[in-house]
Amino acid sequence: MPQLIVDPWFNILISSWVIFLIIIPPKVMKHYFNNEPKMAKTHDSKTYPWDWLWY
């Protein structure tokens, strides 16, 4: 059975994992994304009571 011959397939497997784990992540992380996340507010905003009359 040709599937059991590991000579070419193992090299392809190892080289593809090297590409996906070592080469591609730094290239993706160098991109500048337009929608940078902003820091959340550290203080709570003040809430005002509801002063409408219900009658």
Side-chain angles (χ1 to χ4, degrees), residues 35-49:
N35 298 328
E36 289 291 327
K38 294 182 180 179
M39 294 294 294
K41 294 182 182 178
T42 56
H43 67 284
D44 294 332
S45 61
K46 186 175 182 192
T47 59
Y48 298 102

Side-chain angles (χ1 to χ4, degrees), residues 9-44:
W9 302 111
F10 186 72
N11 292 334
I12 293 171
L13 175 78
I14 295 299
S15 63
S16 64
W17 275 105
V18 164
I19 289 171
F20 285 129
L21 293 177
I22 295 175
I23 296 174
I24 291 179
K27 289 181 178 283
V28 171
M29 296 303 290
K30 283 196 296 187
H31 281 290
Y32 175 75
F33 297 102
N34 290 334
N35 298 328
E36 289 291 327
K38 294 182 180 179
M39 294 294 294
K41 294 182 182 178
T42 56
H43 67 284
D44 294 332

